């Protein structure tokens, strides 16, 4: 009975983490579709974050009512800076990169996030690096390989793998100098998005230690990010027609981005990390890239290129090297804790035995 229950929990967790990757894969396609139908990039992000804020705020308020520390000016400044990195820059550079780049390669480059996060955490001394140990060497090598793969995608487009005419209007088989420039520009934007996302993850660690209310931190970050995007839009998107929803497709893309990508997927991610740990959730990240490639080919008429495939494979190899190194590091830490606890119990038992022996001798005397 116990084994059946354990197996059932594993199946639920597996279904949950795969569903998470499929939902996020859908977000890549939906975002590209939103750009294809002509929706403003800034307006799309503003509506997405507005929906996410309305969705998350009640949960953050009621679920963390007793756990939230008092808001101070210092915390507000930290949340504002997190919003610049995690919302404005992160989402902004992603949508800019997606304008020039295929969703498949945007998703592929995102697999470098764990490696870039590790590099940033190591630079900020939030992560220990010991290349003399296998886990430390694996993390360093994986980081280098992942960054190398992202560089290959950026600098080398390669030849098309499918000799078919594309249905989409943003890629063509004939590789003109303008297309190659747009490809490289899109990759640079997506890489900046990855750096922003990684920086957001790394910088949240010290903030959450002082303000241990994850949903509240996320909600306040989204609030400040939404304000920042609105201020930028006030100078960039002055045409009132850009703010109107003109079709059912535009409405669908906005609702999917806000409700599914920022709502359902976020909740599912928290559940998966809580049940299986962050490493388990990250291991299935490449599933998202494969799903995006299939959907982009079928729905958008996307094209695959040799340079992108080579770079994506390198990024995935680097991803698993970093995750393996992190897993081994966690095992070593747990083993050290268990050994320390065992030594502590043995010492306590010895001290207790000595006290009991001394008391017995005193009684006999």
């Amino acid at each position: 009975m116990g084994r059946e229950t354990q197996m059932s929990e594993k199946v639920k967790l597996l279904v949950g983490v795969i569903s998470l990757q499929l939902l996020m894969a859908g977000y890549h396609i939906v975002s590209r579709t939103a750009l294809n139908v002509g929706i403003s990039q800034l307006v799309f992000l503003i509506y997405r974050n507005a929906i996410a804020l309305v969705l998350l705020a009640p949960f953050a308020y009621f679920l963390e009512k007793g756990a939230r520390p008092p808001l101070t000016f210092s915390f507000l400044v930290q949340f504002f800076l997190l919003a610049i990195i995690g919302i404005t820059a992160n989402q902004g550079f992603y949508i800019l990169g997606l304008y020039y780049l295929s969703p498949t390669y945007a998703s592929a480059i995102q697999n470098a996030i764990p490696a870039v996060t590790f590099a940033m955490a190591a630079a900020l001394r939030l992560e220990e690096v010991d290349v003399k140990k296998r886990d430390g060497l694996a993390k360093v090598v994986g980081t280098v390989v992942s960054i190398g793969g992202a560089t290959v995608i950026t600098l080398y487009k390669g030849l098309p793998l499918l000799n078919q005419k594309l249905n989409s209007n943003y890629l063509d088989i004939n590789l003109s100098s303008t297309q190659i420039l747009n490809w490289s520009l899109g990759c640079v934007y997506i890489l900046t998005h990855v750096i922003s996302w990684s920086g957001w993850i790394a910088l949240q660690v010290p903030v959450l230690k002082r303000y241990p209310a994850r949903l509240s931190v996320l909600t306040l970050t989204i609030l400040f990010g939404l304000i920042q995007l609105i201020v930028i839009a006030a100078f960039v998107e002055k045409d009132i027609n850009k703010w109107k929803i003109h079709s059912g497709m535009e409405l669908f893309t906005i609702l999917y981005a806000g409700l599914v990508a920022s709502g359902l997927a976020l909740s599912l991610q928290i559940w998966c990390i809580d049940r299986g740990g962050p490493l388990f959730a990250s291991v299935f990240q490449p599933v998202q890239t494969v799903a995006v490639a299939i959907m982009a080919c079928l729905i958008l008429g996307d094209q695959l290129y040799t340079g992108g495939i080579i770079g994506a494979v390198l990024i995935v190899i680097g991803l698993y090297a970093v995750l393996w190194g992190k897993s081994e590091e966690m095992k070593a830490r747990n083993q050290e804790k268990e050994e320390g606890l065992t030594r502590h119990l043995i010492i306590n038992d010895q001290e207790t035995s000595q006290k009991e022996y001394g008391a017995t001798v005193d009684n006999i005397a």
Side-chain angles (χ1 to χ4, degrees):
M1 185 67 180
R3 289 184 178 179
E4 291 179 0
T5 304
Q6 188 176 9
M7 184 62 68
S8 176
E9 286 297 319
K10 288 183 178 179
V11 171
K12 288 180 182 178
L13 184 58
L14 184 62
V15 171
V17 74
I18 291 178
S19 299
L20 169 64
Q21 300 304 332
L22 294 178
L23 289 174
M24 292 309 298
Y27 173 68
H28 287 283
I29 304 301
V30 164
S31 297
R32 179 65 247 187
T33 303
L35 296 178
N36 285 347
V37 298
I39 192 170
S40 166
Q41 298 169 356
L42 268 174
V43 171
F44 179 71
L45 295 180
I46 288 171
Y47 285 155
R48 173 195 171 177
N49 285 285
I51 294 172
L53 182 63
V54 172
L55 198 64
L56 291 174
F59 291 98
Y61 179 77
F62 289 107
L63 294 179
E64 298 179 340
K65 195 171 184 179
R68 268 193 311 271
L71 269 178
T72 63
F73 180 75
S74 174
F75 280 134
L76 291 175
V77 171
Q78 291 176 55
F79 297 149
F80 184 84
L81 294 176
L82 282 177
I84 292 177
I85 300 171
I87 303 297
T88 306
N90 174 21
Q91 297 181 9
F93 282 115
Y94 168 77
I95 207 73
L96 284 171
L98 197 63
Y99 182 78
Y100 296 105
L101 195 64
S102 158
T104 303
Y105 299 116
S107 176
I109 295 174
Q110 282 184 347
N111 288 308
I113 288 174
V116 177
T117 303
F118 163 72
M120 288 187 171
L124 295 171
R125 296 185 178 179
L126 299 172
E127 182 89 21
E128 294 181 2
V129 182
D130 188 356
V131 292
K132 294 180 181 179
K133 295 181 179 179
R134 290 190 308 168
D135 56 279
L137 183 61
K139 288 188 288 185
V140 172
V141 172
T143 299
V144 173
V145 172
S146 286
I147 294 174
T151 304
V152 169
I153 294 178
T154 304
L155 300 180
Y156 176 65
K157 188 172 185 178
L159 299 174
L161 296 178
L162 302 174
N163 295 319
Q164 61 179 15
K165 187 67 180 177
L166 295 177
N167 295 324
S168 68
N169 58 2
Y170 62 94
L171 282 176
D172 191 16
I173 291 178
N174 298 319
L175 304 181
S176 66
S177 59
T178 303
Q179 288 173 315
I180 294 173
L181 178 62
N182 289 344
W183 171 282
S184 299
L185 184 61
C187 287
V188 169
Y189 280 138
I190 295 296
L191 283 172
T192 310
H193 148 71
V194 166
I195 293 170
S196 301
W197 195 345
S198 301
W200 184 40
I201 293 171
L203 292 175
Q204 279 186 79
V205 175
V207 174
L208 286 170
K209 285 182 179 179
R210 294 189 294 270
Y211 200 92
R214 184 177 297 275
L215 276 177
S216 298
V217 170
L218 179 61
T219 301
L220 289 168
T221 302
I222 291 176
L223 173 62
F224 281 118
L226 181 60
I227 294 171
Q228 293 165 10
L229 290 170
I230 290 174
V231 170
I232 295 172
F235 293 95
V236 177
E237 295 293 358
K238 296 182 179 180
D239 186 1
I240 193 65
N241 287 323
K242 293 284 187 180
W243 296 83
K244 295 179 180 179
I245 299 175
H246 299 92
S247 66
M249 181 59 70
E250 289 187 8
L251 179 62
F252 170 75
T253 58
I254 291 170
L255 290 177
Y256 189 98
L259 295 175
V260 178
S262 295
L264 179 59
L266 178 63
S267 303
L268 196 55
Q269 184 178 36
I270 293 173
W271 182 83
C272 290
I273 291 174
D274 181 59
R275 296 296 181 90
L279 290 180
F280 181 83
S282 299
V283 163
F284 288 85
Q285 179 72 22
V287 173
Q288 180 185 138
T289 302
V290 174
V292 171
I294 294 172
M295 287 190 285
C297 183
L298 295 176
I299 299 173
L300 301 175
D302 205 351
Q303 178 65 286
L304 298 177
Y305 293 88
T306 53
I309 295 298
I310 293 170
V313 170
L314 289 174
I315 290 174
V316 171
I317 292 172
L319 166 69
Y320 284 124
V322 172
L323 294 177
W324 181 86
K326 192 66 180 175
S327 176
E328 290 297 307
E329 181 189 32
M330 292 174 67
K331 287 179 183 178
R333 285 182 180 177
N334 292 334
Q335 187 175 357
E336 288 176 2
K337 287 180 180 179
E338 289 177 1
E339 290 176 354
L341 180 60
T342 303
R343 285 195 299 269
H344 179 70
L345 292 173
I346 291 173
I347 292 171
N348 283 344
D349 288 341
Q350 289 175 347
E351 290 177 351
T352 302
S353 299
Q354 289 174 358
K355 289 178 180 178
E356 290 176 352
Y357 176 76
T360 303
V361 172
D362 291 339
N363 290 334
I364 294 174

